[in-house]
Amino acid sequence: MKQVSTVCARDCYDTCALIVTLGELGQILSIKGDPKNPVTQGFTCPRGAKDHERLYKNRVEAPFLRKGDHFERTDWEKGLSVVSQKLGEILEKYSSEAVLYLDYAGNMGLLTAVFPRRLWNDIGATQTDWALCSNSGHKALALHYGHSYGIRPIEILSMDLVVFWGFNAAVSSPHMWSLAKKARKLRGTQIVVIDPRESPTAKSADLWIQPMPGSDVALAYGVINHLIQNDYIDLEFIKEWTLGFEQLKVKASKWTPDRVEQITGVAWRYVKQLGDAYASLKPSATMIGIGLQKCDQGADQVRAISFIPALLGLHRGFFYSSGNSFSVNESLVSGQALAGRTPKIVEQVALADLVKGGGFKFIYISCMNPAMTLPNQHAFREGISRQDVFVVVHETHWTKTAQYADVVLPAPTYLEKEDLVIPWGHNYVQYSRRAVRPITNSRSEVWVMREIAERLGLTEEWLYEDAWSAVELALENALEGGSFQSLISGEMLTFKTKPKNDYSTPSGKIEFYSSIAAEIGLNPMPIQTPLCIEKGNFILLTSATPKFTSTQFQEVYGAIPPVVTMNSQDAERLGIREGHIVTMANERGQVQVKVTISNTVPERVVWSPRQSEGLAGEPLNCLVNSNPQEIGSGPRFNSTTVTVTRH
Ligand SMILES: Nc1nc2c(c(=O)[nH]1)N[C@H]1C(S)=C(S)[C@@H](COP(=O)(O)OP(=O)(O)OC[C@H]3O[C@@H](n4cnc5c(=O)[nH]c(N)nc54)[C@H](O)[C@@H]3O)O[C@H]1N2
Ligand SMILES: Nc1nc2c(c(=O)[nH]1)N[C@H]1C(S)=C(S)[C@@H](COP(=O)(O)OP(=O)(O)OC[C@H]3O[C@@H](n4cnc5c(=O)[nH]c(N)nc54)[C@H](O)[C@@H]3O)O[C@H]1N2
Ligand code: SF4
Ligand SMILES: [Mo]
C-alpha cells in the first residue's frame, strides 16, 4: 500500500492535511486526516472522507459542445478552438470588458484558482470583487483594526472562554470545534454560542444566547455597556492602544437593558451572563462567523462585536477568516502585477442583473457553481441563457451551471493534480501531491489557459512561465520554518503571521471611532438598523450543513434536502403540520419545500439548508436579493423575507 500526502482544496475554514491510501492498482482505498497537522488532528469531515467516491460520480468526462438543447462530446482540439475563436470574435467586436471571468473558491489552490487569471488579466477581462462570502466582515474589521486577521485556531487550546458568534463551527469548521472541545476537556474552557437558531454548535454550548437575526449590534453594545458600567474593562490598555473610547462609552450607554431586550429578544440576564463571562474568563477568543455578516446589518455586527476583546485588553482577541493576511504575493501569481493594469471589477453579489442586462458577451466560469450559489437566481439564469452570451464552464462535475454552458471543459479534481492550497482558517501549509492519475479526459486550469492564450496569439512571456516558479517567487517572504524547497519535498511549514499589536489604521491604534469610515462617509461607529420583517413575513436563514460543501457532494449524499424548519407556534397559527409542503415566496420568486417543525428556530424565523433546490427544482437563491452591502459589498442572504403558505 502506498500513501500520498495532499491537502483538501475546498472552501473551508479547516484546509485539512490529508493522507490518501492507495491500493495495488493505484485506486484510492481511503482518505484520512493527517495527525501531523495540529488543526487537522487526524480526522476529516464527512465530505473529505468521501472525496474518492465523488471522484467517480457525475464527472465531466470530456469537452462538450452545446447543440441546441443537448451536449455533444468532442475532443480538446475542437473544444478549445471553439472557445478561442468565440473569445477572439468578442474581443474584436466588443471591448475586453465584455468578457467576464467568473470564478470562486471551489478549489483554493494557487495553480488552480490564481495562476490561470494571468490569461484574463492579460486580455483585460472583467473580474469580480469576490465578495460573495466574507468580504464585508473583512472590510468591517479593517475599519477599526486596519486588517482583519486575529487569533490562530490553535490558540483556542489556551483560552478560558470561546464565544462562537454567528458561527456554526460544529458543522462549518469541525476542526476548530474539536479544538474548542479539547480545551473544554483539558482546562474547563467555557463555550458560548450566539445564534438565533439552536444550531448543532449551540446545542453543545455551555451558554446559548438567541438574538433575533440582525440584532447583534444591539447585543454587542449591551455587553459593552455592561462591561463599562461594572469597570470590567482594561483602562490602561484602552489608553495605550485605542482611540475613540469616549465616543464608544457614550454610544454604549444608550443601550439600556430594556432597549437591548426589545431589539434582540434576549433577556438581560443572559446579556449580563455573557458580559460576566467575558470579565471573569481570560483569555477569551471571540470567533466571528461568516454567517453573521451575510445580512443587512452584517458588517456593522462584525464591527460591534470586535470591540469587546479590545475593551478587555486583548490584542485582536477575535478570529475571522485570515487567508488574506499572509505575505503571499498573489497579484504576481495572478499576473495582475505583471499586466500593469487593474481589470474592471464588478460586484459579485450584484452580478445577476448585470448578466441579465446583457453587460457581458462571453462568460468563462471556473471553480464556481453560480447558477445555484449567487443571489437573485431567476435574473442570473435569464442572463446566462441569453442568445448573445457565450458561456464556457471548466468543471470537474456536471453542475447546474454546466447545464447552461455553450462549452463544458473537464477539470481534474484536487486529487488528480498538484497544487499549493492557501488556508484561510489556519496558517499551516503543505504541498498537495497528486494522488491519482486523472480518471477523465480532463486538463488542468493552467494548461487550458495557456492553450487558449496560444490560440489567441498572445505573446506575453509570463503567460507561459512555469507556474511553480511563479509560486516560488510569490512565497519569498511568506514562509516560516523552511524554504520553498522543503515545502515541495513534503514538509509541513507555516505562513508567517503578523504581530497582533500591529494596527494599520491611520493612528496605528484600534479605532473604536473609525477615522477611515468618517472620511469616506460611513458611520464611524457601528449602528443598529431596524429589523424589517413585515407582519406575516418570516426571515429566512440559510446556512451550511454537514454533508455538503456549498453545492458539492450531492453525487455522494443525494440532493440537499428541500426542507424548511419552522417554530411550532408559527406552524400552529398557520395550520401547518410536520411534513406539509409549503411555498416560501416573495417578489422575486417562490420555492416549495417540506416542513420540519422544531423550536430550534424562534418565531418569525425559518431556516433552510443553503444553496438547495425546491421540490419543483426552483433554486432557493431565487428568493434572495442581489443588493450588495454598503461595506465590503457582501451578500444579504440572511435578510431574506418570505411568506410561507400551505401548498
Ligand atoms: N459542512 C460545511 N462546512 C462549510 C461549508 C459548507 O458548505 N459545508 N462552507 C464553508 C464556507 S464557504 C463558509 S462561508 C463557512 C460558513 O460557516 P459559518 O461561518 O458557520 O456560517 P453559516 O453556516 O452561514 O452560519 C452560521 C450561523 O450563523 C447564524 N446566523 C445567521 N444570521 C445571524 C445573525 O444575524 N446573528 C447571529 N448571531 N447568528 C446568525 C446561522 O443561524 C448559522 O447557524 O463554512 C465553511 N464550511
Ligand atoms: N442562500 C445562500 N447562498 C449562499 C450562501 C448562503 O449562506 N446562503 N453562501 C455563499 C457562500 S459563503 C459561498 S462561499 C458561495 C459558494 O459558491 P460556489 O463557490 O459557487 O460553491 P460550490 O457549489 O462549492 O461551487 C464550486 C464549484 O467548483 C467546482 N470545483 C471544485 N474543484 C474544482 C477544480 O479543481 N477545478 C474546477 N475548475 N472546478 C472545481 C465544484 O465542482 C463546484 O461546482 O455560496 C454563497 N451562496
Ligand atoms: S471540507 Fe473542510 S473539514 Fe472537510 S476535509 Fe476538507 S478541509 Fe477538512
Ligand atoms: Mo463562503
Side-chain angles (χ1 to χ4, degrees), residues 94-251:
Y94 304 90
S95 76
S96 59
E97 291 181 355
V99 175
L100 172 68
Y101 180 57
L102 177 53
D103 65 336
Y104 210 63
N107 177 319
M108 299 189 311
L110 283 179
L111 264 59
T112 300
V114 186
F115 190 84
R117 281 188 222 142
R118 287 195 170 191
L119 169 64
W120 310 102
N121 278 319
D122 187 33
I123 64 176
T126 302
Q127 295 173 46
T128 78
D129 61 1
W130 261 61
L132 183 59
C133 176
S134 60
N135 200 45
S136 283
H138 286 297
K139 291 292 177 317
L141 290 165
L143 288 175
H144 305 284
Y145 285 85
H147 210 294
S148 55
Y149 66 94
I151 68 155
R152 286 174 301 129
I154 204 72
E155 293 176 66
I156 290 174
L157 289 172
S158 48
M159 298 292 166
D160 283 350
L161 171 69
V162 181
V163 179
F164 288 100
W165 204 317
F167 189 165
N168 185 13
V171 168
S172 63
S173 180
H175 297 83
M176 278 203 267
W177 178 237
S178 160
L179 290 172
K181 284 197 302 186
K182 257 189 200 164
R184 169 150 73 186
K185 204 164 158 193
L186 293 174
R187 55 187 287 143
T189 300
Q190 292 284 299
I191 300 178
V192 177
V193 171
I194 302 170
D195 199 308
R197 188 173 70 97
E198 192 180 6
S199 65
T201 314
K203 273 199 175 68
S204 314
D206 298 299
L207 170 67
W208 167 42
I209 292 178
Q210 188 185 25
M212 276 305 275
S215 71
D216 299 75
V217 173
L219 182 61
Y221 275 133
V223 172
I224 291 169
N225 197 15
H226 179 69
L227 294 174
I228 296 176
Q229 295 294 323
N230 292 282
D231 290 332
Y232 289 154
I233 54 175
D234 186 334
L235 278 173
E236 255 172 54
F237 179 94
I238 291 170
K239 208 167 139 207
E240 187 175 355
W241 291 102
T242 76
L243 265 192
F245 175 65
E246 286 311 315
Q247 286 103 317
L248 177 59
K249 200 168 156 183
V250 171
K251 192 120 188 148

Side-chain angles (χ1 to χ4, degrees), residues 391-463:
V391 178
V392 180
V393 173
H394 193 192
E395 247 297 348
T396 55
H397 289 70
W398 280 102
T399 58
K400 183 56 92 177
T401 307
Q403 305 292 341
Y404 284 86
D406 295 289
V407 180
V408 185
L409 302 173
T413 65
Y414 76 90
L415 293 166
E416 301 164 289
K417 61 189 164 195
E418 53 170 15
D419 213 327
L420 193 81
V421 180
I422 310 296
W424 54 263
H426 58 74
N427 66 330
Y428 298 94
V429 57
Q430 196 182 307
Y431 172 58
S432 304
R433 212 174 282 287
R434 189 175 84 173
V436 288
R437 266 182 223 290
I439 60 157
T440 66
N441 191 14
S442 66
R443 296 286 187 278
S444 75
E445 289 70 10
V446 174
W447 185 88
V448 172
M449 83 95 176
R450 279 204 191 116
E451 290 291 316
I452 297 175
E454 250 177 48
R455 283 171 169 77
L456 289 177
L458 302 177
T459 51
E460 294 293 353
E461 266 175 32
W462 46 267
L463 288 170

Side-chain angles (χ1 to χ4, degrees), residues 250-504:
V250 171
K251 192 120 188 148
S253 69
K254 302 196 171 121
W255 287 94
T256 57
D258 278 354
R259 203 166 154 230
V260 173
E261 284 187 349
Q262 195 199 341
I263 297 206
T264 61
V266 176
W268 181 256
R269 66 172 190 284
Y270 291 118
V271 182
K272 187 173 165 306
Q273 203 178 332
L274 176 59
D276 292 345
Y278 267 122
S280 61
L281 301 170
K282 288 180 184 171
S284 61
T286 300
M287 312 294 289
I288 304 176
I290 293 173
L292 173 87
Q293 52 90 64
K294 289 189 261 188
C295 63
D296 293 345
Q297 297 79 7
D300 273 16
Q301 302 202 130
V302 174
R303 298 172 73 186
I305 293 163
S306 80
F307 292 171
I308 296 172
L311 292 168
L312 297 167
L314 297 168
H315 285 293
R316 296 183 187 270
F318 55 81
F319 168 89
Y320 190 64
S321 96
S322 57
N324 59 9
S325 68
F326 308 135
S327 306
V328 180
N329 189 346
E330 268 207 25
S331 74
L332 181 73
V333 183
S334 75
Q336 196 179 314
L338 304 164
R341 61 173 160 181
T342 318
K344 180 177 173 189
I345 301 288
V346 291
E347 291 176 310
Q348 193 169 34
V349 169
L351 261 187
D353 285 325
L354 294 178
V355 176
K356 183 182 165 187
F360 308 106
K361 303 297 172 205
F362 185 100
I363 304 180
Y364 190 100
I365 301 170
S366 184
C367 296
M368 186 175 186
N369 187 10
M372 287 306 300
T373 57
L374 280 179
N376 202 3
Q377 271 304 314
H378 288 332
F380 182 73
R381 290 182 177 190
E382 205 181 311
I384 51 172
S385 308
R386 283 175 67 115
Q387 286 305 315
D388 61 346
V389 180
F390 195 81
V391 178
V392 180
V393 173
H394 193 192
E395 247 297 348
T396 55
H397 289 70
W398 280 102
T399 58
K400 183 56 92 177
T401 307
Q403 305 292 341
Y404 284 86
D406 295 289
V407 180
V408 185
L409 302 173
T413 65
Y414 76 90
L415 293 166
E416 301 164 289
K417 61 189 164 195
E418 53 170 15
D419 213 327
L420 193 81
V421 180
I422 310 296
W424 54 263
H426 58 74
N427 66 330
Y428 298 94
V429 57
Q430 196 182 307
Y431 172 58
S432 304
R433 212 174 282 287
R434 189 175 84 173
V436 288
R437 266 182 223 290
I439 60 157
T440 66
N441 191 14
S442 66
R443 296 286 187 278
S444 75
E445 289 70 10
V446 174
W447 185 88
V448 172
M449 83 95 176
R450 279 204 191 116
E451 290 291 316
I452 297 175
E454 250 177 48
R455 283 171 169 77
L456 289 177
L458 302 177
T459 51
E460 294 293 353
E461 266 175 32
W462 46 267
L463 288 170
Y464 308 98
E465 185 193 355
D466 172 54
W468 282 106
S469 308
V471 169
E472 179 171 9
L473 205 58
L475 295 183
E476 216 172 32
N477 300 315
L479 297 170
E480 198 174 53
S483 64
F484 177 75
Q485 282 319 319
S486 38
L487 192 67
I488 295 302
S489 68
E491 270 180 56
M492 183 183 77
L493 304 181
T494 50
F495 281 123
K496 280 183 217 158
T497 49
K498 296 188 185 122
K500 287 225 191 71
N501 61 0
D502 180 354
Y503 300 111
S504 46

Side-chain angles (χ1 to χ4, degrees), residues 8 10 12 14-16 44-45 47-48 174-175:
C8 178
R10 294 254 146 59
C12 177
D14 294 356
T15 314
C16 292
T44 69
C45 70
R47 294 153 281 140
H175 297 83

